[in-house]
Amino acid sequence: MKHLLIMIAFVLVSACNHKEKKVKVDSTPNIIFIYLDDLGYGDISAYGATELETPNMDFLANNGLKFTNGYATSATCTPSRYALLTGQYPWRNRDAKILPGTAPLLIDTTQTTIPKMLRNHGYKTAVIGKWHLGLGTGNVDWNSYISPGPNQVGFDFSYIMAATQDRVPTVYIKNGYVFNHDSEDPIEIDYKNNFSGEPTGENSPHLLKMKGDPQHNRTIVNGVPRIGHMKGGQSARWIDEDMADIFLDEVKTYIKKEKDQPFFLYYGLQQPHVPRTPHPRFVGATGMGPRGDVIAEADWCIGELIKTLKQEGIMENTLIFLSSDNGPVLDDGYEDDAIEKLGNHTPTGNLRGGKYSLYEAGTRVPFITYWKGHIEPGVTTEIISQVDWLSSLSNLIKQPVDNLDSENHLDLLLGKSVKGRSDVILEATSRTAYRQGDWVLIPPYPGPKMFLTKGIETGNGEEFQLYNLENDTSQQNNLAETMPEKRDEMMRAFEAIVGDSYKKTSKLKFD
C-alpha cells in the first residue's frame, strides 16, 4: 500500500510538472520582430542568393514559414516602420516620408500601436536599434529628456538611434536621454547650416575614410561624412563599427532580464543601410565589400539572438518575425564598392526595381515567421503585408482593435491557413500602386523613370502599367494597352481604396 501511494504521488507530481511545462509553451508567447534595413528579396540564401551565405536567417526560413509574396508597405524606411507599428497605410499620413534626424514624432501618442496593445495585455515591450520615426515635437533639446518618443507610443524600454546611421545626431538614446551625454559638451544639430569651425566632408576631405556624395558630405564622425550638421556630444558619439555589437548586447541583456514574463522586442538592425561599416571581425567575410560583409554581420547577430533564446530556455515560447523595411540599393550615397564587388549576386532576386521603386523589388522583401513547435516548416505564395501584423497579433492575444488597413491573417502567419490578402496597396516616395491577386497596376506618374545616381527605376511613366506576376515576375510585359478592361477594373478597385489621394504626390526625394 505504501508503495502504491508513493507511485500515485509520483504520477501526480509528474502530471503537474508536465502541465506547468505545457502552460509555459502554449501560453502567450514572447514576440520578436527582427527588422533589417534595405535587405533585398535576393539577399538571403534561403531566397535564392548563391554568392552570400546567411545560415541563421536561413534557419528561420527553413524551419519556419517563408513567404514569397510578403510585403513592406513602402519602398522607403520611415513609411514602412510607421505602417508596421500602427497598422495604418503610410500614404494616409502625409508626413510619413523619409525623415531628417530632427523631425517630430510621426506616430500620434493617441494612436493604437503594437507595443501599446501588447503592453495593455501584460507584455513588457522594448525597441532596440533603428527608430527613424521622429522624436519630440519639432524642436528637440538633445541635452535633456527627449519626448515624445518610443516610450510614449508603447515601449517600456528604448535604446535607439534617432534616425539612420548616415544622419546626425550620431548618438544612442536610452529611454529618452542621450546615452553617455556630457553636460559640459552640449549637442547642437542643424540640417541647414554648419557650426563655425566644424569639419565637413566638403571642407576637410583629408579626414575621411569613406567618401560621400553631396548630400552625405556634412559633419564628419569617425571619418564618415553625414547628412546634417552636428556640434558637441563627443563622448556620446557612436563608433560605427561597434554599432551591431552595441545593439546586440542590449538585445541579449533585455531577453535575459525579461525572460520570465511575456515580452515584445522590436530589434531594428541597421544593416545593410549606408554607411556600411562592418566590425573588423567581418571585413572581407564575403568578398563583396562592405555591403556583403554587413549582411554577414547581421546574420551573425541573428544567430546570437537565436542562441540566447535557446540558452535561456525560451525558444519554444517565442514567435519570431523577420523582414526588411524595403528593397535593396547599392549606390546610396557613399563610395563603398557595392557595385564594383557585386559579382554574380542579385540583391533583387528576379524582381524589377529596388529601394525607392514602385516595381516589385521596392516592397517585396524577405518575410519569415518562426515559432518552434507551432509553425510547421513551409513556403507560401499567399500575399501578406507588414501592415497586417497589428491585427494578426491582436487576434493572437484576443484583444480586438479597430483598424482601417491591417487585416487579421494570424492563421496564415502561423501556417494554419492557405489564404492571405486579396489585395494590397504599395507605396514609394508618395506614389502608390495596387496589387490584386497576380495582377499589379501602376498608374501614370510624373517624374523621371530612372533615378540615375542610384541606378534604380522609379516606376514613373506617362502610361498605365499592368503586369501579371504569375508569368511575369520581373514585370517586363506591360499589358495595360492590350487588356484595357482588366486595367480599368483594377483602377476602379484601386480608387475605391485610395480615392484621389494617389494624385497628390510629392517631389521625389531620395536617401
Side-chain angles (χ1 to χ4, degrees), residues 191-499:
Y191 266 70
K192 293 183 179 179
N193 303 305
N194 192 22
F195 300 98
S196 179
E198 292 297 313
T200 67
E202 186 176 20
N203 65 32
S204 302
H206 61 285
L207 298 178
L208 300 179
K209 64 182 180 184
M210 182 185 297
K211 292 183 179 180
D213 64 15
Q215 184 188 24
H216 299 75
N217 210 27
R218 306 297 185 254
T219 290
I220 301 172
V221 179
N222 304 324
V224 180
R226 316 286 166 154
I227 301 173
H229 303 282
M230 178 175 176
K231 180 180 179 181
Q234 292 296 332
S235 64
R237 297 188 183 195
W238 64 51
I239 298 173
D240 296 80
E241 290 80 2
D242 293 340
M243 183 174 285
D245 287 347
I246 294 293
F247 286 146
L248 178 61
D249 287 345
E250 291 291 332
V251 164
K252 289 180 176 179
T253 299
Y254 184 81
I255 290 172
K256 293 174 182 177
K257 178 183 177 184
E258 305 296 350
K259 65 179 179 179
D260 294 326
Q261 58 194 327
F263 65 81
F264 166 59
L265 171 62
Y266 173 50
Y267 180 20
L269 287 86
Q270 83 278 11
Q271 303 101 326
H273 194 283
V274 296
R276 297 154 185 149
T277 53
H279 189 277
R281 300 191 312 272
F282 294 94
V283 173
T286 64
M288 294 174 60
R291 186 177 188 276
D293 294 347
V294 296
I295 292 175
E297 179 182 56
D299 186 74
W300 175 82
C301 289
I302 292 166
E304 289 296 297
L305 182 151
I306 294 170
K307 186 186 301 183
T308 301
L309 294 174
K310 290 179 178 179
Q311 290 172 343
E312 299 304 318
I314 58 174
M315 190 71 175
E316 291 80 1
N317 198 37
T318 301
L319 170 59
I320 299 173
F321 295 72
L322 183 147
S323 199
S324 176
D325 60 354
N326 49 249
V329 59
L330 297 176
D331 183 353
D332 207 21
Y334 295 96
E335 297 179 13
D336 65 359
D337 292 333
I339 296 175
E340 291 81 357
K341 295 185 177 180
L342 186 64
N344 295 321
H345 181 58
T346 52
T348 59
N350 62 344
L351 305 178
R352 185 177 180 181
K355 184 179 180 180
Y356 313 112
S357 176
L358 276 173
Y359 292 120
E360 284 291 285
T363 50
R364 199 197 298 193
V365 291
F367 194 118
I368 298 162
T369 56
Y370 172 92
W371 187 2
K372 185 177 181 180
H374 292 260
I375 296 177
E376 291 293 324
V379 179
T380 177
T381 60
E382 290 297 304
I383 300 172
I384 189 76
S385 171
Q386 293 166 10
V387 78
D388 299 323
W389 290 0
L390 184 144
S391 287
S392 300
L393 290 176
S394 76
N395 188 261
L396 175 70
I397 63 174
K398 303 295 187 291
Q399 184 171 315
V401 295
D402 293 325
N403 195 276
L404 182 64
D405 300 315
S406 185
E407 295 183 0
N408 170 30
H409 290 291
L410 178 65
D411 286 345
L412 176 62
L413 291 169
L414 299 183
K416 303 182 187 303
S417 170
V418 293
K419 182 171 176 57
R421 271 184 168 266
S422 60
D423 60 4
V424 65
I425 303 295
L426 307 171
E427 185 267 341
T429 61
S430 80
R431 292 148 177 80
T432 46
Y434 181 56
R435 176 165 183 183
Q436 183 187 71
D438 291 323
W439 295 90
V440 171
L441 176 76
I442 303 176
Y445 289 111
K449 294 183 178 181
M450 175 72 73
F451 188 39
L452 296 177
T453 60
K454 310 292 184 184
I456 292 175
E457 294 179 284
T458 61
N460 293 333
E462 298 177 357
E463 307 295 333
F464 279 94
Q465 297 178 68
L466 178 68
Y467 301 99
N468 188 320
L469 299 178
E470 182 179 18
N471 50 35
D472 184 22
T473 308
S474 299
Q475 295 176 288
Q476 297 300 309
N477 185 19
N478 183 5
L479 301 172
E481 292 302 315
T482 58
M483 301 186 66
E485 292 184 1
K486 183 64 179 179
R487 177 198 65 205
D488 295 344
E489 173 193 324
M490 291 280 288
M491 192 62 190
R492 287 191 295 270
F494 173 62
E495 288 184 307
I497 300 172
V498 303

